[in-house]
Amino acid sequence: MRPIHIFGGGLAGCEAAWQITRAGFDCVLFEMRPVQPTPAHKTDRLAELVCSNSLKSESENTAPWLLKEELRRLDSLLLHAAQQARVPGGHALTVDREVFASEITRAIEENPRIELRREEATSILEDAIAIIATGPLTSGALAREIGRITGAERLFFYDSISPIVEADSIDLSIAFRASRYGKSLDGTDDYINCPLDREQYERFIDAILAAEAVPSHIPEDNARFFEACLPIEELARRGRETLRFGPMKPMGLIDPRTGRRSYAVVQLRQENLRADSYNLVGFQNHMRFPEQARVFRLIPGLERAQFLRYGQIHRNTYINAPALLTPTLQLRAHHQIFFAGQISGVEGYVESIATGLISGRHAAELASCAEIRAFPRETALGSLCAYVSGADTRSYQPANITFDLLPALDEATRLQFRHDKKARHAEVCRRALEKLDEYRSVYA
Ligand SMILES: Cc1cc2nc3c(=O)[nH]c(=O)nc-3n(C[C@H](O)[C@H](O)[C@H](O)COP(=O)(O)OP(=O)(O)OC[C@H]3O[C@@H](n4cnc5c(N)ncnc54)[C@H](O)[C@@H]3O)c2cc1C
């Protein structure tokens, strides 16, 4: 039997390889580093964490915890390595990145069923089982090949991510609901607006200019492309008034407390249907995460803001997954080809590991001619697949795991827990793990 080919020895590719060998199959893992570097990776190790060393929250009954718990129950190599490499990090699963990558590199190199080839993959055979897991920094030659196979013209995007805060943590005695010039799509006041007077604005600009930035991963030659999504600190550097004429413009917004227009305004846009999270419109930035928390809490109304996500900018290569993939992460047009990791349209380290695990298991099922069984929709794994294969194709954006992606509880249970968000989340997690255990009892 021909070995399964895996392109990319990152988070998704290594997990996929491990799962394939666990199921008793051989694979060839192509990793182009160190022969060909990427703009972000620094070593030749497999599964290198390119930026933060956090695999997010380990607080029980949070969505990131649920995803990790599911992976642990499915014998994930990378979650096991994370445990070995764990360093103190509060409620987060924080790892020593060197130990983490070394553990995984060792496990892959020592596995007799995996042939590791340090070379750039440039072509995909349409009749062999293959997993494409080359990540957000996929090499140009392979990106062109993926374009050919998928018919997609453009795979490179520049992710500019604005911070997201919990709705409950916005102080609505200061912030007010309104749409600019009262123009709203559905007649409601779509935005939450945080007003700043001159003094507050000046203090805010000083804080942005003094904030510590994360080291840039963006190559110089891409700078022009970034005009469309400049980080706010770059706007502030171009002139103290620039933000006030850009994302912080106050026109058309009357503060009901004063009956007047403010000096500047930060607008927050509803992020999800449940309206329990809001993003800071146009606030993509390169500041370190703790700096973002400190600086953005200077905004009136956000003094106690709880951040669900921080702003970021980086290159991102991904396919328009809902137009191309099945819920089992196979290309609709070529069932032997799977996508996993960030290129499949998920966002984040653990989400990449998760899609690696899913594709690895499904590729092994395909190789054994068994029926490919999608993960239950109620699980975090199944919910990631449902998002990737079923989201709106026109405005597709990679997503992290959140409770938003998981199916809602039935009406009676929702009513039972309507005043207790924690209990609701615990119930969603309980249901997910129960479904996963049922699934595992049939497909270990
Ligand atoms: C700059 C940057 C910072 C990020 N920071 C974070 C963060 O802090 N937290 C977070 O959760 N997520 C972050 N992400 C998003 C994402 O979670 C990570 O990029 C994650 O590593 C994705 O996993 P992956 O397996 O899909 O890709 P990767 O881990 O990047 O693995 C892909 C591998 O494929 C190799 N490769 C590429 N092309 C070829 C080819 N043609 N042939 C052979 N090998 C090839 C690469 O060398 C790489 O080793 C960041 C992304 C970027 C780009």
Side-chain angles (χ1 to χ4, degrees):
M1 156 127 233
R2 224 156 141 187
I4 296 168
H5 283 184
I6 303 168
F7 301 127
L11 302 181
C14 290
E15 185 63 52
W18 177 255
Q19 294 295 329
I20 287 166
T21 62
R22 228 183 128 255
F25 292 91
D26 294 339
C27 59
V28 182
L29 179 60
F30 293 85
E31 170 50 56
M32 68 177 184
R33 288 176 295 117
V35 184
Q36 184 163 328
T38 79
H41 293 83
K42 301 216 164 37
T43 74
D44 63 357
R45 290 201 195 101
L46 303 173
E48 179 181 331
L49 300 175
V50 284
C51 193
S52 121
N53 63 337
S54 169
L55 272 61
K56 302 229 181 100
S57 178
E58 272 290 38
S59 298
E60 221 167 287
N61 297 329
T62 58
W65 168 82
L66 175 63
L67 185 59
K68 287 193 280 294
E69 184 56 24
E70 291 182 9
L71 290 170
R72 280 188 280 258
R73 291 186 187 198
L74 292 163
D75 191 24
S76 156
L77 168 69
L78 273 72
L79 265 286
H80 181 73
Q83 200 52 44
Q84 305 291 311
R86 189 164 190 177
V87 294
H91 61 90
L93 174 53
T94 310
V95 300
D96 177 320
R97 67 181 74 239
E98 307 239 323
V99 177
F100 177 72
S102 301
E103 280 285 318
I104 294 158
T105 306
R106 189 186 50 74
I108 296 285
E109 283 176 346
E110 284 177 359
N111 190 320
R113 285 196 175 278
I114 303 175
E115 182 193 340
L116 176 59
R117 282 198 209 157
R118 296 283 190 167
E119 64 186 71
E120 181 190 1
T122 53
S123 61
I124 303 161
L125 301 174
E126 283 155 47
D127 59 349
I129 301 178
I131 298 175
I132 299 170
T134 40
L137 304 167
T138 294
S139 74
L142 191 67
R144 282 190 291 280
E145 174 73 348
I146 294 167
R148 180 187 71 78
I149 280 212
T150 59
E153 280 170 16
R154 192 165 156 255
L155 295 170
F156 293 99
F157 301 89
Y158 285 87
D159 250 3
S160 72
I161 304 176
S162 290
I164 297 177
V165 297
E166 268 182 29
D168 288 351
S169 68
I170 304 169
D171 184 348
L172 289 175
S173 69
I174 298 173
F176 59 94
R177 290 182 185 277
S179 293
R180 210 178 285 282
Y181 298 111
K183 285 186 187 156
S184 162
L185 288 179
D186 62 357
T188 59
D189 293 329
D190 291 332
Y191 289 83
I192 293 180
N193 304 279
C194 299
L196 291 89
D197 62 25
R198 185 177 198 137
E199 201 183 313
Q200 288 163 334
Y201 178 79
E202 295 297 340
R203 203 169 54 231
F204 182 61
I205 297 293
D206 287 341
I208 292 177
L209 291 173
E212 205 185 325
V214 287
S216 177
H217 301 287
I218 302 160
E220 291 295 313
D221 60 345
N222 288 320
R224 199 172 51 81
F225 196 75
F226 267 83
E227 282 294 316
C229 59
L230 284 171
I232 56 162
E233 61 273 28
E234 176 56 25
L235 289 174
R237 270 195 293 274
R238 290 183 176 193
R240 295 185 70 86
E241 292 290 287
T242 312
L243 276 170
R244 223 165 69 75
F245 288 94
M248 293 178 74
K249 64 174 177 283
M251 264 67 77
L253 293 166
I254 304 298
D255 182 348
R257 283 186 311 161
T258 60
R260 291 207 315 269
R261 201 170 77 189
S262 321
Y263 189 71
V265 170
V266 174
Q267 286 208 294
L268 291 103
R269 189 193 294 127
Q270 189 176 317
E271 180 67 22
N272 56 8
L273 282 174
R274 283 203 296 270
D276 57 7
S277 56
Y278 279 76
N279 72 64
L280 277 70
V281 181
F283 266 50
Q284 60 270 8
N285 71 90
H286 254 151
M287 292 185 272
R288 286 170 52 80
F289 290 176
E291 291 286 83
Q292 292 191 38
R294 184 179 66 75
V295 171
F296 295 145
R297 286 189 185 128
L298 293 174
I299 298 169
L302 298 187
E303 292 87 348
R304 281 187 296 280
Q306 289 299 318
F307 288 85
L308 294 169
R309 186 181 82 183
Y310 290 99
Q312 284 175 42
I313 298 183
H314 60 75
R315 183 182 126 191
N316 203 350
T317 308
Y318 59 90
I319 56 169
N320 190 357
L324 297 167
L325 297 187
T326 66
T328 44
L329 306 183
Q330 293 165 279
L331 262 189
R332 289 187 195 142
H334 302 283
H335 270 209
Q336 314 86 307
I337 300 174
F338 293 79
F339 276 80
Q342 187 103 356
I343 197 167
S344 72
V346 291
E347 173 76 30
Y349 294 154
V350 182
E351 290 79 352
S352 296
I353 297 169
T355 47
L357 179 140
I358 296 165
S359 66
R361 286 178 63 108
H362 290 337
E365 283 167 343
L366 185 64
S368 66
C369 300
E371 182 198 355
I372 297 191
R373 280 284 305 260
F375 279 90
R377 180 66 182 86
E378 293 85 354
T379 60
L381 291 165
S383 296
L384 276 180
C385 293
Y387 177 77
V388 159
S389 59
D392 187 347
T393 54
R394 286 162 306 173
S395 54
Y396 188 61
Q397 288 272 324
N400 289 118
I401 190 69
T402 59
F403 281 120
D404 244 8
L405 300 192
L406 282 121
L409 293 166
D410 62 73
E411 193 58 30
T413 320
R414 271 221 311 271
L415 275 177
Q416 187 189 344
F417 297 122
R418 71 181 173 284
H419 297 306
D420 190 344
K421 191 157 94 179
K422 267 194 174 162
R424 258 192 335 266
H425 288 170
E427 180 54 21
V428 172
C429 293
R430 191 203 57 74
R431 181 187 63 176
L433 293 174
E434 186 182 88
K435 289 284 175 191
L436 185 75
D437 287 344
E438 279 170 22
Y439 179 90
R440 282 170 61 218
S441 66
V442 185
Y443 299 87

